[in-house]
Protein backbone atom coordinates (compact mmCIF):
# COMPACT_ATOMS: atom_id res chain seq x y z
CA UNK A 1 0.00 0.00 0.00
CA UNK A 2 2.85 2.42 0.83
CA UNK A 3 4.48 1.66 -2.52
CA UNK A 4 1.18 2.32 -4.34
CA UNK A 5 0.63 5.64 -2.55
CA UNK A 6 4.21 6.67 -3.30
CA UNK A 7 3.73 5.86 -7.01
CA UNK A 8 0.46 7.85 -7.19
CA UNK A 9 2.12 10.81 -5.48
CA UNK A 10 5.06 10.69 -7.92
CA UNK A 11 2.73 10.65 -10.92
CA UNK A 12 0.69 13.54 -9.51
CA UNK A 13 3.81 15.62 -9.04
CA UNK A 14 5.00 14.80 -12.56
CA UNK A 15 1.75 15.74 -14.35
CA UNK A 16 2.15 19.55 -14.10
CA UNK A 17 5.67 19.25 -15.47
CA UNK A 18 4.54 17.09 -18.39
CA UNK A 19 1.84 19.61 -19.26
CA UNK A 20 4.29 22.47 -19.68
CA UNK A 21 5.07 23.51 -23.27
CA UNK A 22 8.66 24.65 -23.74
CA UNK A 23 11.75 23.81 -25.73
CA UNK A 24 13.67 21.02 -23.94
CA UNK A 25 16.88 22.28 -22.36
CA UNK A 26 18.62 19.02 -21.44
CA UNK A 27 19.04 15.40 -22.48
CA UNK A 28 16.71 14.38 -19.68
CA UNK A 29 13.97 16.66 -20.95
CA UNK A 30 14.39 15.72 -24.60
CA UNK A 31 14.08 12.04 -23.74
CA UNK A 32 10.52 12.65 -22.54
CA UNK A 33 9.16 14.09 -25.80
CA UNK A 34 10.05 16.03 -28.91
CA UNK A 35 6.60 17.63 -28.89
CA UNK A 36 7.57 20.99 -27.30
CA UNK A 37 10.47 21.34 -29.74
CA UNK A 38 8.25 20.55 -32.74
CA UNK A 39 5.59 23.03 -31.63
CA UNK A 40 8.29 25.70 -31.49
CA UNK A 41 10.00 24.94 -34.82
CA UNK A 42 7.38 23.42 -37.14
CA UNK A 43 5.39 26.63 -37.93
CA UNK A 44 8.50 28.07 -39.64
CA UNK A 45 8.79 25.10 -42.03
CA UNK A 46 6.61 25.49 -45.13
CA UNK A 47 5.45 23.47 -48.11
CA UNK A 48 6.51 24.79 -51.50
CA UNK A 49 4.69 24.17 -54.78
CA UNK A 50 6.50 25.31 -57.93
CA UNK A 51 5.41 25.32 -61.57
CA UNK A 52 7.70 25.66 -64.56
CA UNK A 53 7.13 25.51 -68.30
CA UNK A 54 9.29 23.00 -70.17
CA UNK A 55 9.46 22.15 -73.85
CA UNK A 56 9.01 18.62 -75.07
CA UNK A 57 11.80 17.12 -77.14
CA UNK A 58 12.10 18.53 -80.66
CA UNK A 59 11.49 16.42 -83.73
CA UNK A 60 14.64 14.58 -84.87
CA UNK A 61 13.69 15.62 -88.43
CA UNK A 62 13.58 19.35 -87.69
CA UNK A 63 15.63 21.18 -90.34
CA UNK A 64 15.52 18.25 -92.75
CA UNK A 65 13.81 19.54 -95.93
CA UNK A 66 12.65 16.03 -96.89
CA UNK A 67 11.10 14.80 -93.64
CA UNK A 68 10.28 17.81 -91.44
CA UNK A 69 6.94 18.48 -93.16
CA UNK A 70 6.07 14.80 -93.41
CA UNK A 71 6.35 14.27 -89.63
CA UNK A 72 5.39 17.81 -88.49
CA UNK A 73 2.26 16.72 -86.59
CA UNK A 74 3.87 13.63 -85.08
CA UNK A 75 6.78 15.49 -83.47
CA UNK A 76 5.29 18.93 -82.91
CA UNK A 77 6.92 20.73 -79.98
CA UNK A 78 4.49 21.81 -77.27
CA UNK A 79 5.10 23.56 -73.97
CA UNK A 80 4.32 21.43 -70.94
CA UNK A 81 3.74 22.47 -67.32
CA UNK A 82 6.00 20.68 -64.86
CA UNK A 83 5.23 20.69 -61.13
CA UNK A 84 7.65 20.23 -58.25
CA UNK A 85 7.02 19.78 -54.56
CA UNK A 86 9.37 20.48 -51.71
CA UNK A 87 9.88 22.28 -48.44
CA UNK A 88 11.25 25.60 -47.25
CA UNK A 89 12.19 27.40 -44.05
CA UNK A 90 11.16 30.92 -43.02
CA UNK A 91 14.25 32.68 -41.70
CA UNK A 92 12.87 36.10 -40.74
CA UNK A 93 9.60 37.62 -39.63
CA UNK A 94 9.50 39.72 -42.81
CA UNK A 95 9.31 36.64 -45.03
CA UNK A 96 12.79 35.52 -46.14
CA UNK A 97 12.53 31.82 -47.06
CA UNK A 98 15.24 29.33 -48.02
CA UNK A 99 14.68 26.26 -50.19
CA UNK A 100 16.62 24.14 -52.67
CA UNK A 101 17.35 25.26 -56.21
CA UNK A 102 16.12 21.93 -57.56
CA UNK A 103 12.74 22.66 -55.97
CA UNK A 104 12.17 26.22 -57.28
CA UNK A 105 14.84 26.86 -59.91
CA UNK A 106 13.46 28.22 -63.22
CA UNK A 107 9.93 28.21 -61.78
CA UNK A 108 7.33 30.52 -63.28
CA UNK A 109 5.07 30.33 -60.23
CA UNK A 110 5.94 29.52 -56.60
CA UNK A 111 3.38 29.02 -53.87
CA UNK A 112 4.34 28.83 -50.18
CA UNK A 113 1.91 27.16 -47.78
CA UNK A 114 2.29 27.55 -44.00
CA UNK A 115 1.21 25.03 -41.38
CA UNK A 116 -1.81 27.21 -40.55
CA UNK A 117 -2.85 26.87 -44.24
CA UNK A 118 -2.08 30.45 -45.20
CA UNK A 119 -0.75 30.67 -48.76
CA UNK A 120 1.62 33.20 -50.30
CA UNK A 121 3.08 33.84 -53.72
CA UNK A 122 6.88 33.89 -53.55
CA UNK A 123 9.55 35.67 -55.59
CA UNK A 124 13.09 34.36 -56.05
CA UNK A 125 15.67 36.82 -54.72
CA UNK A 126 18.76 34.69 -55.30
CA UNK A 127 19.28 31.25 -56.81
CA UNK A 128 22.42 29.17 -57.16
CA UNK A 129 22.34 25.81 -58.92
CA UNK A 130 25.83 24.72 -57.84
CA UNK A 131 25.06 24.98 -54.13
CA UNK A 132 21.42 23.93 -54.67
CA UNK A 133 20.15 26.91 -52.66
CA UNK A 134 17.46 29.49 -53.41
CA UNK A 135 16.38 32.46 -51.30
CA UNK A 136 12.73 33.49 -51.65
CA UNK A 137 10.60 36.38 -50.38
CA UNK A 138 6.97 36.30 -49.28
CA UNK A 139 4.97 39.27 -47.99
CA UNK A 140 2.64 39.17 -45.01
CA UNK A 141 0.81 41.85 -43.05
CA UNK A 142 1.76 40.14 -39.78
CA UNK A 143 5.16 38.92 -38.55
CA UNK A 144 5.86 35.37 -39.66
CA UNK A 145 7.17 32.46 -37.57
CA UNK A 146 10.84 31.85 -38.28
CA UNK A 147 13.89 29.88 -37.20
CA UNK A 148 17.15 31.34 -35.94
CA UNK A 149 20.51 30.11 -37.19
CA UNK A 150 22.92 28.14 -35.09
CA UNK A 151 26.66 28.28 -35.75
CA UNK A 152 27.02 25.05 -37.72
CA UNK A 153 30.74 24.89 -36.90
CA UNK A 154 29.69 24.06 -33.33
CA UNK A 155 27.69 21.00 -34.38
CA UNK A 156 29.18 17.70 -33.26
CA UNK A 157 28.72 14.09 -34.34
CA UNK A 158 26.20 12.39 -32.09
CA UNK A 159 23.97 15.41 -31.48
CA UNK A 160 20.24 14.87 -31.70
CA UNK A 161 18.61 16.42 -34.77
CA UNK A 162 15.12 16.65 -36.24
CA UNK A 163 14.31 16.86 -39.96
CA UNK A 164 11.07 18.71 -40.71
CA UNK A 165 9.59 18.77 -44.18
CA UNK A 166 6.93 17.50 -46.56
CA UNK A 167 8.01 14.05 -47.78
CA UNK A 168 6.09 12.58 -50.73
CA UNK A 169 3.59 15.44 -50.46
CA UNK A 170 1.74 13.80 -47.56
CA UNK A 171 1.99 16.85 -45.30
CA UNK A 172 4.44 18.13 -42.74
CA UNK A 173 6.39 15.31 -41.13
CA UNK A 174 9.04 15.19 -38.41
CA UNK A 175 11.77 12.56 -38.22
CA UNK A 176 14.47 12.24 -35.59
CA UNK A 177 18.07 11.11 -35.64
CA UNK A 178 21.56 12.27 -34.91
CA UNK A 179 24.31 14.13 -36.73
CA UNK A 180 26.21 11.17 -38.10
CA UNK A 181 29.02 12.93 -39.95
CA UNK A 182 30.69 16.28 -40.59
CA UNK A 183 32.64 17.72 -43.50
CA UNK A 184 31.11 15.38 -46.05
CA UNK A 185 32.10 16.41 -49.57
CA UNK A 186 31.75 14.93 -53.01
CA UNK A 187 29.10 12.47 -51.80
CA UNK A 188 25.81 14.28 -52.34
CA UNK A 189 23.56 13.55 -55.29
CA UNK A 190 21.78 16.09 -57.44
CA UNK A 191 23.13 19.54 -58.22
CA UNK A 192 24.62 20.35 -54.84
CA UNK A 193 28.39 20.34 -54.56
CA UNK A 194 30.57 21.01 -51.58
CA UNK A 195 30.47 20.50 -47.86
CA UNK A 196 27.59 18.89 -45.96
CA UNK A 197 26.37 17.75 -42.58
CA UNK A 198 25.29 14.10 -42.55
CA UNK A 199 22.30 12.82 -40.59
CA UNK A 200 20.41 9.57 -40.17
CA UNK A 201 17.12 11.41 -39.58
CA UNK A 202 14.87 10.09 -42.36
CA UNK A 203 14.96 12.39 -45.41
CA UNK A 204 12.75 11.47 -48.34
CA UNK A 205 11.68 13.14 -51.61
CA UNK A 206 9.84 16.31 -50.60
CA UNK A 207 12.05 16.94 -47.55
CA UNK A 208 14.42 18.92 -49.77
CA UNK A 209 14.67 22.53 -48.65
CA UNK A 210 13.22 21.83 -45.21
CA UNK A 211 14.81 22.22 -41.80
CA UNK A 212 17.37 20.23 -39.86
CA UNK A 213 17.15 21.60 -36.32
CA UNK A 214 18.92 20.95 -33.04
CA UNK A 215 17.34 20.29 -29.63
CA UNK A 216 16.92 24.03 -29.08
CA UNK A 217 14.94 24.51 -32.27
CA UNK A 218 17.71 26.33 -34.12
CA UNK A 219 18.46 25.70 -37.77
CA UNK A 220 21.70 23.79 -38.30
CA UNK A 221 21.20 22.81 -41.94
CA UNK A 222 18.93 22.53 -44.99
CA UNK A 223 18.39 18.95 -46.23
CA UNK A 224 19.36 18.71 -49.87
CA UNK A 225 20.01 15.10 -50.90
CA UNK A 226 20.33 11.47 -49.86
CA UNK A 227 22.31 8.39 -50.78
CA UNK A 228 19.85 5.65 -51.62
CA UNK A 229 19.40 2.48 -53.61
CA UNK A 230 15.63 2.33 -53.25
CA UNK A 231 14.67 5.99 -53.80
CA UNK A 232 13.69 6.33 -50.13
CA UNK A 233 15.67 7.06 -47.00
CA UNK A 234 18.44 4.62 -46.09
CA UNK A 235 19.67 6.71 -43.18
CA UNK A 236 22.28 8.69 -45.12
CA UNK A 237 21.08 12.24 -45.71
CA UNK A 238 22.97 15.46 -46.36
CA UNK A 239 22.23 19.01 -45.29
CA UNK A 240 23.79 22.33 -46.35
CA UNK A 241 25.27 23.90 -43.17
CA UNK A 242 23.49 26.89 -41.66
CA UNK A 243 26.61 29.08 -41.85
CA UNK A 244 26.57 28.89 -45.65
CA UNK A 245 22.81 29.45 -45.81
CA UNK A 246 23.26 32.60 -43.69
CA UNK A 247 25.77 33.97 -46.20
CA UNK A 248 23.28 33.44 -49.03
CA UNK A 249 20.61 35.30 -47.07
CA UNK A 250 23.00 38.22 -46.50
CA UNK A 251 23.77 38.50 -50.21
CA UNK A 252 20.08 38.22 -51.14
CA UNK A 253 19.24 41.07 -48.76
CA UNK A 254 22.05 43.09 -50.32
CA UNK A 255 20.35 42.80 -53.71
CA UNK A 256 22.41 40.04 -55.35
CA UNK A 257 20.47 37.71 -57.63
CA UNK A 258 23.39 35.27 -57.83
CA UNK A 259 25.90 34.22 -55.20
CA UNK A 260 29.27 35.98 -55.26
CA UNK A 261 31.80 33.40 -54.17
CA UNK A 262 35.37 34.25 -53.16
CA UNK A 263 37.85 33.23 -55.85
CA UNK A 264 40.79 31.05 -54.87
CA UNK A 265 42.50 30.77 -58.26
CA UNK A 266 44.03 27.42 -57.31
CA UNK A 267 43.35 23.76 -57.94
CA UNK A 268 44.15 21.28 -55.20
CA UNK A 269 43.69 17.70 -54.15
CA UNK A 270 43.26 16.03 -50.79
CA UNK A 271 46.45 14.60 -49.31
CA UNK A 272 46.05 10.82 -49.16
CA UNK A 273 48.36 8.29 -47.51
CA UNK A 274 50.77 8.02 -50.43
CA UNK A 275 51.08 11.79 -50.79
CA UNK A 276 51.55 12.15 -47.04
CA UNK A 277 54.53 9.80 -47.18
CA UNK A 278 56.05 11.80 -50.01
CA UNK A 279 55.67 15.07 -48.10
CA UNK A 280 56.96 13.57 -44.86
CA UNK A 281 53.66 13.90 -43.00
CA UNK A 282 52.89 11.49 -40.17
CA UNK A 283 49.17 11.48 -41.07
CA UNK A 284 47.33 12.47 -44.27
CA UNK A 285 46.00 16.01 -43.86
CA UNK A 286 45.41 19.17 -45.84
CA UNK A 287 45.04 20.09 -49.51
CA UNK A 288 48.08 20.20 -51.79
CA UNK A 289 48.15 22.96 -54.41
CA UNK A 290 48.60 21.33 -57.83
CA UNK A 291 47.95 24.37 -60.06
CA UNK A 292 47.64 28.09 -59.48
CA UNK A 293 46.50 31.07 -61.54
CA UNK A 294 49.18 33.79 -61.82
CA UNK A 295 46.96 36.37 -60.07
CA UNK A 296 45.53 34.02 -57.44
CA UNK A 297 45.19 35.68 -54.00
CA UNK A 298 47.01 32.64 -52.58
CA UNK A 299 49.95 33.41 -54.86
CA UNK A 300 49.81 37.05 -53.75
CA UNK A 301 49.98 35.84 -50.13
CA UNK A 302 53.15 33.85 -50.79
CA UNK A 303 51.90 30.30 -51.35
CA UNK A 304 53.33 28.24 -54.23
CA UNK A 305 52.75 25.01 -56.13
CA UNK A 306 53.31 22.00 -53.90
CA UNK A 307 52.41 23.80 -50.68
CA UNK A 308 49.85 22.05 -48.47
CA UNK A 309 47.01 24.13 -47.02
CA UNK A 310 46.35 22.76 -43.52
CA UNK A 311 43.72 25.15 -42.18
CA UNK A 312 41.58 28.09 -43.30
CA UNK A 313 40.21 30.60 -40.82
CA UNK A 314 41.36 28.38 -37.96
CA UNK A 315 39.50 25.31 -39.25
CA UNK A 316 41.31 22.23 -40.57
CA UNK A 317 40.64 21.48 -44.24
CA UNK A 318 41.07 18.05 -45.81
CA UNK A 319 39.39 18.45 -49.20
CA UNK A 320 39.06 21.18 -51.85
CA UNK A 321 35.30 21.36 -51.17
CA UNK A 322 35.90 21.93 -47.45
CA UNK A 323 38.47 24.61 -48.24
CA UNK A 324 36.04 26.40 -50.58
CA UNK A 325 33.32 26.19 -47.92
CA UNK A 326 35.57 27.88 -45.36
CA UNK A 327 36.15 30.71 -47.81
CA UNK A 328 32.49 30.97 -48.83
CA UNK A 329 31.18 31.56 -45.31
CA UNK A 330 33.22 34.76 -45.14
CA UNK A 331 32.29 37.85 -47.17
CA UNK A 332 34.24 39.07 -50.18
CA UNK A 333 36.55 41.86 -49.02
CA UNK A 334 37.67 40.11 -45.84
CA UNK A 335 40.99 38.39 -45.29
CA UNK A 336 41.38 34.90 -43.87
CA UNK A 337 44.18 33.27 -41.94
CA UNK A 338 45.74 30.32 -43.79
CA UNK A 339 48.15 27.83 -42.27
CA UNK A 340 50.20 25.86 -44.78
CA UNK A 341 53.18 23.55 -45.07
CA UNK A 342 55.97 24.72 -47.36
CA UNK A 343 59.28 22.84 -47.70
CA UNK A 344 58.66 21.09 -44.42
CA UNK A 345 57.95 24.28 -42.48
CA UNK A 346 54.54 25.40 -41.23
CA UNK A 347 53.85 28.96 -42.37
CA UNK A 348 51.07 31.51 -41.79
CA UNK A 349 49.55 33.87 -44.35
CA UNK A 350 46.68 36.31 -44.70
CA UNK A 351 44.74 35.69 -47.93
CA UNK A 352 42.39 38.30 -49.38
CA UNK A 353 38.91 37.16 -50.35
CA UNK A 354 38.24 38.63 -53.80
CA UNK A 355 35.85 38.13 -56.69
CA UNK A 356 37.25 36.42 -59.76
CA UNK A 357 38.78 39.25 -61.85
CA UNK A 358 36.96 39.93 -65.11
CA UNK A 359 40.18 41.02 -66.80
CA UNK A 360 41.47 40.90 -69.46
CA UNK A 361 38.22 41.74 -71.26
CA UNK A 362 36.16 38.69 -72.16
CA UNK A 363 34.93 40.36 -75.40
CA UNK A 364 31.92 38.00 -75.58
CA UNK A 365 30.48 37.51 -79.07
CA UNK A 366 27.70 35.53 -80.72
CA UNK A 367 27.95 34.60 -84.39
CA UNK A 368 24.69 35.65 -86.05
CA UNK A 369 25.03 34.36 -89.63
CA UNK A 370 26.56 31.55 -91.64
CA UNK A 371 27.44 27.95 -90.71
CA UNK A 372 28.61 29.04 -87.24
CA UNK A 373 25.40 30.95 -86.43
CA UNK A 374 24.42 30.49 -82.79
CA UNK A 375 27.99 30.01 -81.55
CA UNK A 376 28.78 32.15 -78.50
CA UNK A 377 32.41 32.59 -77.44
CA UNK A 378 34.41 34.51 -74.86
CA UNK A 379 38.04 35.19 -74.11
CA UNK A 380 39.13 33.26 -71.03
CA UNK A 381 39.82 35.23 -67.85
CA UNK A 382 39.45 34.31 -64.15
CA UNK A 383 35.75 35.25 -64.06
CA UNK A 384 35.02 33.10 -67.13
CA UNK A 385 37.09 30.26 -65.65
CA UNK A 386 35.04 30.43 -62.48
CA UNK A 387 31.67 30.59 -64.25
CA UNK A 388 32.43 27.63 -66.54
CA UNK A 389 34.56 25.67 -64.03
CA UNK A 390 37.55 25.57 -66.33
CA UNK A 391 40.88 24.24 -64.99
CA UNK A 392 43.19 26.96 -63.67
CA UNK A 393 45.75 25.83 -66.26
CA UNK A 394 43.40 27.12 -68.99
CA UNK A 395 43.97 30.82 -68.33
CA UNK A 396 44.13 31.99 -71.97
CA UNK A 397 42.29 31.27 -75.20
CA UNK A 398 38.67 31.27 -76.36
CA UNK A 399 35.90 29.19 -74.83
CA UNK A 400 32.45 28.23 -76.08
CA UNK A 401 29.79 29.89 -73.92
CA UNK A 402 26.64 29.30 -75.95
CA UNK A 403 25.30 26.91 -78.60
CA UNK A 404 22.02 27.29 -80.46
CA UNK A 405 20.72 26.16 -83.82
CA UNK A 406 22.34 23.43 -85.95
CA UNK A 407 25.65 23.63 -84.08
CA UNK A 408 24.08 21.79 -81.16
CA UNK A 409 24.02 18.66 -83.33
CA UNK A 410 27.66 19.02 -84.34
CA UNK A 411 28.99 17.84 -80.96
CA UNK A 412 30.46 21.05 -79.57
CA UNK A 413 29.71 21.79 -75.91
CA UNK A 414 29.74 24.83 -73.67
CA UNK A 415 33.16 24.89 -72.01
CA UNK A 416 35.07 23.66 -75.06
CA UNK A 417 38.24 25.67 -75.69
CA UNK A 418 38.82 26.42 -79.37
CA UNK A 419 42.27 26.11 -80.95
CA UNK A 420 41.62 26.33 -84.70
CA UNK A 421 38.78 26.81 -87.16
CA UNK A 422 39.65 25.69 -90.70
CA UNK A 423 43.34 26.02 -89.82
CA UNK A 424 43.00 29.58 -88.47
CA UNK A 425 44.59 29.91 -85.02
CA UNK A 426 42.03 31.10 -82.48
CA UNK A 427 43.66 33.48 -80.00
CA UNK A 428 40.71 35.80 -79.38
CA UNK A 429 37.02 36.06 -80.07
CA UNK A 430 37.78 38.30 -83.06
CA UNK A 431 39.44 35.31 -84.73
CA UNK A 432 36.20 33.33 -84.41
CA UNK A 433 34.30 36.19 -86.04
CA UNK A 434 36.84 36.21 -88.88
CA UNK A 435 36.62 32.44 -89.35
CA UNK A 436 32.82 32.65 -89.52
CA UNK A 437 33.06 34.72 -92.70
CA UNK A 438 35.07 32.08 -94.60
CA UNK A 439 33.53 31.18 -97.96
CA UNK A 440 33.75 27.41 -97.85
CA UNK A 441 31.50 24.37 -97.56
CA UNK A 442 34.03 22.26 -95.65
CA UNK A 443 34.59 23.07 -91.98
CA UNK A 444 36.91 21.78 -89.30
CA UNK A 445 36.88 22.84 -85.65
CA UNK A 446 39.73 21.79 -83.32
CA UNK A 447 39.90 22.31 -79.59
CA UNK A 448 40.29 20.91 -76.08
CA UNK A 449 37.63 19.47 -73.77
CA UNK A 450 38.48 18.28 -70.27
CA UNK A 451 42.16 18.03 -71.14
CA UNK A 452 41.48 15.93 -74.27
CA UNK A 453 41.84 17.22 -77.81
CA UNK A 454 38.92 16.97 -80.25
CA UNK A 455 38.31 17.68 -83.93
CA UNK A 456 34.94 18.05 -85.66
CA UNK A 457 34.44 18.08 -89.44
CA UNK A 458 31.25 18.94 -91.28
CA UNK A 459 29.93 20.18 -94.61
CA UNK A 460 27.14 22.62 -95.48
Amino acid sequence: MRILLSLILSLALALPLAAQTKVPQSQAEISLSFAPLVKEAAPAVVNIFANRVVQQAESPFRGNPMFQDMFRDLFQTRPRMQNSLGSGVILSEDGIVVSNYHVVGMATEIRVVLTDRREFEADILLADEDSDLAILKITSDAPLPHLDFRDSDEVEVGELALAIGNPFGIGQTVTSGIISGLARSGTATGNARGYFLQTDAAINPGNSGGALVDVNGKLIGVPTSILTRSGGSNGVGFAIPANLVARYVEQARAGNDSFVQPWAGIFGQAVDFSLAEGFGLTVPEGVVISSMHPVSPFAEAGLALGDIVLSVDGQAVNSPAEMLFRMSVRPVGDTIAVEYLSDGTIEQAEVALIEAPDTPARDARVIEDGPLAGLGVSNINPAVQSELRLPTSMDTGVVVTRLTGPLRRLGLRVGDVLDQINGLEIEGTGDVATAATMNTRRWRVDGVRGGQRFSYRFRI
Side-chain angles (χ1 to χ4, degrees):
M1 179 63 71
R2 289 180 179 178
I3 295 175
L4 179 59
L5 289 173
S6 177
L7 179 59
I8 293 173
L9 180 60
S10 298
L11 289 172
L13 291 173
L15 283 175
L17 293 176
Q20 294 179 5
T21 301
K22 66 184 183 68
V23 175
Q25 299 297 318
S26 66
Q27 177 64 38
E29 292 180 4
I30 200 68
S31 64
L32 297 176
S33 174
F34 285 120
L37 168 58
V38 173
K39 289 179 181 178
E40 185 80 16
V45 182
V46 299
N47 296 340
I48 292 183
F49 302 88
N51 298 324
R52 60 176 64 88
V53 177
V54 296
Q55 297 293 331
Q56 292 178 328
E58 294 181 354
S59 166
F61 302 110
R62 184 177 180 183
N64 187 308
M66 182 177 295
F67 295 107
Q68 68 176 358
D69 291 330
M70 185 181 300
F71 296 99
R72 184 183 302 277
D73 294 334
L74 182 61
F75 293 103
Q76 187 175 5
T77 301
R78 296 184 179 91
R80 178 173 58 88
M81 186 66 72
Q82 185 181 72
N83 302 314
S84 65
L85 174 68
S87 305
V89 186
I90 304 175
L91 300 176
S92 67
E93 65 178 19
D94 64 344
I96 295 294
V97 179
V98 64
S99 186
N100 283 142
Y101 180 92
H102 74 261
V103 174
V104 301
M106 306 303 292
T108 55
E109 180 184 1
I110 303 171
R111 190 159 46 93
V112 174
V113 182
L114 276 61
T115 55
D116 60 10
R117 298 185 180 181
R118 284 184 293 168
E119 297 188 11
F120 300 90
E121 297 294 326
D123 296 316
I124 297 178
L125 299 183
L126 184 153
D128 185 79
E129 186 173 8
D130 287 342
S131 66
D132 200 21
L133 280 175
I135 307 300
L136 315 176
K137 181 68 169 64
I138 60 178
T139 303
S140 171
D141 295 332
L144 294 165
H146 63 280
L147 295 184
D148 294 326
F149 289 112
R150 178 182 168 188
D151 184 351
S152 53
D153 286 342
E154 297 177 353
V155 176
E156 296 181 337
V157 173
E159 284 193 33
L160 289 171
L162 297 184
I164 309 175
N166 182 23
F168 302 111
I170 61 175
Q172 191 177 84
T173 302
V174 182
T175 54
S176 66
I178 62 170
I179 298 299
S180 49
L182 304 174
R184 298 303 194 207
S185 59
T187 53
T189 57
N191 294 325
R193 304 181 180 94
Y195 171 102
F196 305 94
L197 303 176
Q198 181 181 324
T199 181
D200 66 351
I203 296 174
N204 287 293
N207 272 109
S208 295
L212 187 68
V213 301
D214 65 8
V215 294
N216 293 311
K218 291 192 174 182
L219 185 72
I220 56 178
V222 173
T224 187
S225 61
I226 58 176
L227 286 184
T228 178
R229 295 179 179 177
S230 63
S233 173
N234 287 341
V236 183
F238 300 100
I240 301 168
N243 286 5
L244 185 59
V245 177
R247 185 63 55 204
Y248 274 74
V249 172
E250 288 180 13
Q251 291 202 15
R253 285 195 179 278
N256 293 359
D257 58 5
S258 60
F259 187 66
V260 178
Q261 193 170 62
W263 179 67
I266 63 174
F267 181 81
Q269 66 181 95
V271 175
D272 57 17
F273 182 74
S274 60
L275 283 174
E277 284 187 320
F279 283 103
L281 297 174
T282 55
V283 294
E285 59 179 335
V287 177
V288 61
I289 300 174
S290 53
S291 66
M292 179 180 290
H293 194 281
V295 297
S296 163
F298 282 81
E300 294 288 332
L303 282 77
L305 292 178
D307 289 347
I308 299 175
V309 178
L310 301 174
S311 71
V312 173
D313 207 20
Q315 300 285 341
V317 293
N318 291 301
S319 72
E322 190 173 0
M323 182 175 166
L324 181 60
F325 169 81
R326 293 297 167 196
M327 296 176 63
S328 298
V329 296
R330 294 283 300 277
V332 171
D334 277 8
T335 60
I336 53 171
V338 173
E339 183 179 77
Y340 65 101
L341 183 69
S342 181
D343 294 328
T345 303
I346 294 180
E347 305 282 355
Q348 307 286 336
E350 292 290 325
V351 176
L353 297 180
I354 65 171
E355 292 186 49
D358 200 11
T359 55
R362 61 177 69 196
D363 191 22
R365 304 190 186 202
V366 177
I367 306 303
E368 302 290 347
D369 302 306
L372 301 184
L375 173 65
V377 291
S378 175
N379 293 329
I380 298 175
N381 64 24
V384 174
Q385 279 183 315
S386 180
E387 291 166 10
L388 298 180
R389 297 184 174 276
L390 299 177
T392 53
S393 57
M394 290 185 174
D395 55 3
T396 59
V398 176
V399 64
V400 176
T401 59
R402 173 183 169 186
L403 285 168
T404 58
L407 279 178
R408 289 184 300 178
R409 298 193 294 271
L410 175 62
L412 284 173
R413 300 177 188 172
V414 171
D416 287 346
V417 178
L418 303 180
D419 282 343
Q420 293 185 349
I421 298 178
N422 282 355
L424 176 66
E425 295 288 340
I426 305 300
E427 298 178 352
T429 58
D431 296 325
V432 178
T434 299
T437 64
M438 291 181 178
N439 186 19
T440 179
R441 298 189 62 187
R442 296 178 180 271
W443 291 82
R444 173 174 171 171
V445 179
D446 299 290
V448 178
R449 175 189 302 153
Q452 302 294 319
R453 303 197 66 82
F454 67 81
S455 181
Y456 291 111
R457 295 174 172 85
F458 64 101
R459 295 183 61 183
I460 60 169

